[in-house]
């Protein structure tokens, strides 16, 4: 249920209403918008007398929210959420360019790629240290050492780092990571999502290979309901009938997610297509569809990459794409 307050309500009166609602056993999510404050009521609201609340002089309107996702719901928070990652803002018109290799391989590789993507316009560095590989015989990532190398690259370039967490037990290693990525395969690892809620650092939540938008939003709800409002949603392609492409990029998910939720929505055209030359057109299409950012795999030597070389752009290709992204952003302003 949402309770919209009249503009300019006195703080004391608002607090009085919030504590009364809390005394009824509800959790209250307060969203102070530009024009109006919205109280999101979470819990069993079936016995709440909506007419009584509506009759209060500070209340503008009361509406029941039928969707099962509450905290992530735009009805609870009409303004776009803006996430601040060490000064880099994501959402609410702030476009993020996350780029870097699929996996961190060695110090030279990660620092070279970090420098190159930074000079091409990226504002966050990606790189997997813990890799979810289909085969147990493939490169599994450098683990703890990979995170240390990302920190070196951050020191060299100033770019905040984004890296994937696969297991709750690894969380202590992520204390100094800027954005924790939850990969497609872990989207419904509810224990992990809950822990990330209390961990408090920004989370990049990727849509599962065969998950609906509602399921993605419910996974984000787990994180938010556990106390962390900093969630970025990511469309990275789903399994359909694609034969020549790794996945099917569901671009309509972007405007739909942005309608349903206030959270930033970004797109990963690398995993969506699996082919480097398909990345630029889909990246530009994602920008045109209203994405709040892109996460793109870039490698200094794709042919010898230990993971996902076929879908990795070379730094100069990323630089060319970056200019076109600017142009599309300008065109749709
Ligand atoms: C990745 O970003 O390297 C990755 C494994 O992505 P996804 O979880 O989308 O497959
Ligand atoms: Mn990858």
């Amino acid at each position: 249920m949402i309770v919209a307050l009249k503009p300019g309500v006195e703080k004391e009166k608002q607090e009085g209403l919030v504590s009364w609602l809390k005394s009824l056993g509800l959790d209250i999510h307060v969203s102070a918008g530009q024009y109006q404050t919205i109280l999101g009521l979470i819990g069993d609201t079936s016995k709440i007398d909506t007419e009584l609340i509506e009759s209060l002089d500070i209340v503008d309107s009361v509406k029941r929210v039928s969707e099962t996702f509450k905290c992530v719901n735009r009805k609870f928070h009409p303004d776009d959420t803006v996430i601040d990652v060490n000064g880099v803002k994501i959402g609410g018109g702030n476009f993020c360019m996350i780029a870097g290799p699929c996996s961190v391989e060695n110090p030279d590789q990660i620092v070279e790629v970090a420098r190159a993507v930074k000079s091409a316009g990226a504002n966050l560095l990606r790189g997997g240290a813990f890799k979810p590989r289909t085969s147990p015989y493939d490169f599994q990532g450098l683990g703890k050492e990979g995170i240390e190398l990302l920190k070196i690259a951050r020191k060299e370039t100033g770019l905040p780092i984004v890296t994937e967490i696969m297991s709750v037990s690894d969380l202590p290693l992520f204390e100094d990571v800027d954005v924790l990525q939850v990969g497609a395969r872990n989207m419904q690892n509810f224990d992990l999502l809950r822990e990330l809620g209390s961990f408090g650092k920004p989370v990049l939540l990727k849509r599962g290979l065969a998950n609906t938008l509602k399921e993605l939003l419910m996974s984000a709800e787990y994180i938010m309901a556990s106390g962390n409002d900093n969630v970025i949603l990511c469309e990275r392609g789903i399994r359909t009938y694609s034969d020549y492409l790794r996945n099917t990029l569901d671009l309509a998910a972007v405007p739909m997610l942005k309608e349903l939720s206030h959270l930033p929505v970004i797109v990963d055209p690398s995993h969506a297509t699996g082919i480097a030359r398909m990345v630029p057109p889909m990246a530009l299409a994602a920008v045109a569809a209203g994405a709040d950012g892109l996460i793109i795999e870039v490698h200094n030597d794709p042919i010898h990459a230990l993971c996902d070389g076929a879908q990795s752009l070379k730094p100069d290709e990323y630089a060319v794409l970056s200019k076109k992204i600017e142009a599309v952003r300008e065109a749709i302003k």
Side-chain angles (χ1 to χ4, degrees):
M1 183 183 284
I2 58 170
V3 176
L5 303 183
K6 288 185 180 150
V9 165
E10 286 166 37
K11 214 168 171 231
E12 280 146 37
K13 286 191 172 177
Q14 178 180 321
E15 279 166 5
L17 175 57
V18 169
S19 51
W20 174 60
L21 291 168
K22 280 188 177 163
S23 75
L24 302 176
L26 300 168
D27 270 339
I28 312 299
H29 183 277
V30 182
S31 165
Q34 228 178 328
Y35 304 106
Q36 207 171 27
T37 295
I38 306 274
L39 306 181
L41 280 48
I42 302 164
D44 181 9
T45 55
S46 59
K47 293 188 187 71
I48 302 287
D49 183 345
T50 49
E51 280 173 21
L52 172 66
I53 298 175
E54 211 152 22
S55 72
L56 301 173
D57 63 348
I58 62 168
V59 171
D60 186 23
S61 64
V62 179
K63 269 193 228 115
R64 290 207 176 267
V65 175
S66 52
E67 291 91 358
T68 42
F69 48 91
K70 309 290 181 194
C71 300
V72 306
N73 202 315
R74 195 177 275 283
K75 289 176 189 161
F76 268 47
H77 189 291
D79 296 335
D80 285 347
T81 280
V82 178
I83 298 175
D84 192 320
V85 184
N86 293 349
V88 175
K89 291 195 168 62
I90 306 174
N94 303 284
F95 196 81
C96 73
M97 294 273 281
I98 309 174
C102 180
S103 25
V104 182
E105 297 172 7
N106 58 61
D108 290 347
Q109 173 241 19
I110 192 65
V111 171
E112 187 180 327
V113 176
R115 287 205 179 107
V117 296
K118 186 183 178 179
S119 71
N123 50 8
L124 293 118
L125 174 68
R126 66 148 288 150
F130 293 88
K131 294 303 306 174
R133 302 305 300 274
T134 302
S135 165
Y137 308 117
D138 286 341
F139 175 59
Q140 303 287 306
L142 297 180
K144 187 172 185 284
E145 190 197 338
I147 294 186
E148 294 308 315
L149 297 184
L150 281 166
K151 288 186 207 165
I152 293 173
R154 176 178 61 193
K155 203 165 165 223
E156 290 294 318
T157 58
L159 295 178
I161 51 179
V162 182
T163 194
E164 178 164 353
I165 172 118
M166 283 172 44
S167 162
V168 170
S169 61
D170 292 332
L171 259 181
L173 301 174
F174 287 71
E175 286 289 349
D176 195 18
V177 164
D178 302 302
V179 178
L180 279 68
Q181 174 174 320
V182 174
R185 291 152 193 84
N186 260 321
M187 190 202 88
Q188 288 189 313
N189 180 340
F190 301 118
D191 286 343
L192 178 61
L193 300 177
R194 257 192 294 259
E195 287 295 326
L196 291 174
S198 41
F199 200 59
K201 291 201 176 245
V203 176
L204 167 51
L205 178 64
K206 290 187 144 194
R207 181 181 181 183
L209 275 67
N211 285 109
T212 63
L213 298 185
K214 195 184 280 177
E215 287 163 346
L216 173 61
L217 292 169
M218 290 311 298
S219 289
E221 186 80 14
Y222 263 93
I223 301 169
M224 286 193 74
S226 306
N228 185 352
D229 292 343
N230 298 319
V231 183
I232 303 153
L233 304 173
C234 179
E235 162 58 35
R236 48 76 73 202
I238 48 170
R239 281 272 163 90
T240 62
Y241 307 103
S242 41
D243 42 12
Y244 293 103
L245 293 150
R246 186 168 175 179
N247 288 293
T248 298
L249 182 56
D250 179 10
L251 270 186
V254 174
M256 183 50 86
L257 286 170
K258 288 179 66 76
E259 188 176 296
L260 293 168
S261 176
H262 51 88
L263 296 174
V265 180
I266 70 164
V267 169
D268 174 347
S270 307
H271 293 88
T273 61
I275 303 167
R277 66 180 184 284
M278 299 293 138
V279 170
M282 297 324 286
L284 298 175
V287 178
D292 295 300
L294 291 161
I295 177 165
I296 293 180
E297 287 188 346
V298 179
H299 198 288
N300 51 345
D301 185 10
I303 293 172
H304 297 107
L306 297 181
C307 183
D308 285 347
Q311 68 193 31
S312 299
L313 295 183
K314 293 189 191 121
D316 57 336
E317 293 167 336
Y318 182 70
V320 171
L321 173 59
S322 175
K323 291 222 167 60
K324 291 185 183 170
I325 289 168
E326 272 303 312
V328 175
R329 285 189 60 210
E330 199 54 44
I332 61 167
K333 248 184 196 164

